[in-house]
Amino acid sequence: MSLTVKKLHPMFVGEASGVDLSQPLSQEEIHAINTAMDEYGVLVFRNQPLTQTQQLELAKSFGPLDMGMKKLKHRKDRLEHPELADISNVANNDGALAARDDRKIVSNIANQLWHSDSSFQKPAARYSMLAAVQVPEVGGQTEFADLRAAYDALSDETKQEIADLQAEHYVLHSRFMLGDTDYTEEQQQVIPPAIWPLVRVHPGSGRKVLFVPAHARSILGMTVPEGRMLLMDLLEHATQREFVYRHEWEPNDLVVWDNRATLHRGRRFDFAQPRELRRATTLDV
Ligand code: OGA
Ligand code: MN
């Protein structure tokens, strides 16, 4: 069988089938997935149970892996490979849940802000591959916003106004915003801020993107309040319902998104219920 894709949203997102992601992919399959990613920005694969090692091997066939915030060593690892991100409220491998004031819960909450993975560093993330292990019955969906459609829908005046603007993205901006400020001087400096234009060209499609994720904390050449308000205003534009797809998770789903073309956020859920996903991420090199 070969890859087939069914569109799930009028603007982006496809449900992909016809490949077994637990096995090494052929060059043709990798090419087909890359081509579909360039078009859809997000691909949903259902019923793909993967071991942690299989998930990592899958990601490696799309590029070198990103360690992202793990470079701060801000919390302990539970998974088999340091390259996998533990997107869960599970504290240990006995299945106990993290305490409410555990930094792990802060990470869950920070993921509920609209963001693009690792936009606080260069190179940033290209593909994130998130696999569902267990999900709550209520809430805990993941939403995606189409930044190409968002750019296209800007007024000509706004397109002109922001054409040459650049934003500074910082790894701890979202944490500071949530009141999680207890980081050593060294942790604060491990990843220096990264500058990205507000308008970028998505290499795979050649389309322009409105790049305004939550890690952006200021706009170069503007006062902080003016820059932040503009960022918030543009983010509000980019995340209107018409540009957003909401993914309702089933165990063994694997969702892949292109961090250069989309934003994403988790939705609230009851932290007393287990929610367990794992992410492997490729670097945009
Ligand atoms: C992520 C992320 C959101 C969610 O894994 O990068 O932001 O719904 N996840 O868990
Ligand atoms: Mn994320």
Side-chain angles (χ1 to χ4, degrees):
M1 253 178 99
S2 58
L3 186 79
T4 52
V5 183
K6 187 183 104 197
K7 210 165 186 191
L8 293 180
H9 181 279
M11 291 164 177
F12 69 140
V13 190
E15 180 169 337
S17 52
V19 285
D20 179 354
L21 300 178
S22 70
Q23 299 305 309
L25 298 180
S26 66
Q27 283 309 312
E28 289 73 29
E29 287 171 323
I30 293 171
H31 180 75
I33 291 173
N34 276 321
T35 304
M37 284 299 293
D38 286 344
E39 178 179 350
Y40 292 94
V42 181
L43 289 179
V44 173
F45 296 84
R46 301 277 192 185
N47 299 314
Q48 298 269 358
L50 298 176
T51 65
Q52 296 183 36
T53 302
Q54 286 169 337
Q55 187 179 351
L56 208 61
E57 289 304 313
L58 170 69
K60 277 189 202 162
S61 47
F62 290 91
L65 300 179
D66 172 33
M67 298 295 285
M69 265 200 90
K70 289 189 160 210
K71 293 197 279 278
L72 269 58
K73 297 193 173 50
H74 66 309
R75 58 176 166 88
K76 280 204 286 300
D77 274 340
R78 181 177 66 98
L79 302 181
E80 291 163 21
H81 304 284
E83 299 90 344
L84 282 181
D86 181 14
I87 308 296
S88 83
N89 60 346
V90 178
N92 57 39
N93 286 325
D94 301 331
L97 295 184
R100 219 67 183 203
D101 60 352
D102 193 308
R103 178 150 281 157
K104 199 156 194 173
I105 299 294
V106 178
S107 292
N108 279 253
I109 296 172
N111 278 343
Q112 295 175 7
L113 296 163
W114 282 111
H115 66 282
S116 170
D117 290 332
S118 296
S119 78
F120 47 72
Q121 64 176 32
K122 286 200 177 184
R126 181 178 299 176
Y127 295 160
S128 293
M129 304 179 158
L130 189 59
V133 181
Q134 52 175 341
V135 291
E137 266 172 37
V138 178
Q141 305 93 338
T142 304
E143 291 184 336
F144 298 90
D146 181 354
L147 297 181
R148 297 176 292 189
Y151 177 82
D152 292 346
L154 290 170
S155 68
D156 289 341
E157 292 74 27
T158 307
K159 284 180 182 165
Q160 262 185 23
E161 183 192 345
I162 67 170
D164 299 317
L165 295 180
Q166 298 189 299
E168 183 180 89
H169 300 229
Y170 178 57
V171 62
L172 290 173
H173 177 56
S174 59
R175 313 289 154 145
F176 291 168
M177 217 161 45
L178 294 170
D180 178 41
T181 54
D182 190 15
Y183 292 88
T184 63
E185 200 59 33
E186 196 189 336
Q187 285 175 316
Q188 295 185 39
Q189 285 167 15
V190 177
I191 308 177
I195 311 284
W196 296 108
L198 259 57
V199 181
R200 298 169 68 190
V201 175
H202 178 238
S205 60
R207 292 177 61 191
K208 286 186 177 170
V209 166
L210 175 61
F211 197 63
V212 286
H215 300 304
R217 67 172 177 186
S218 59
I219 292 185
L220 272 58
M222 277 189 193
T223 64
V224 171
E226 204 179 328
R228 279 199 191 160
M229 199 62 233
L230 179 56
L231 287 166
M232 284 193 276
D233 197 51
L234 294 170
L235 180 60
E236 188 177 326
H237 164 84
T239 55
Q240 294 173 82
R241 286 330 291 181
E242 56 188 305
F243 310 132
V244 171
Y245 163 78
R246 168 178 285 201
H247 186 66
E248 303 277 351
W249 290 99
E250 295 288 339
N252 298 327
D253 284 353
L254 180 98
V255 177
V256 184
W257 63 87
D258 186 336
N259 286 291
R260 303 165 301 182
T262 59
L263 296 183
H264 63 281
R265 67 170 178 182
R267 299 304 283 144
R268 282 194 314 120
F269 65 100
D270 178 359
F271 291 126
Q273 305 293 321
R275 180 179 190 264
E276 188 179 2
L277 302 100
R278 298 179 187 137
R279 172 158 62 82
T281 313
T282 68
L283 276 173
D284 189 29
V285 289

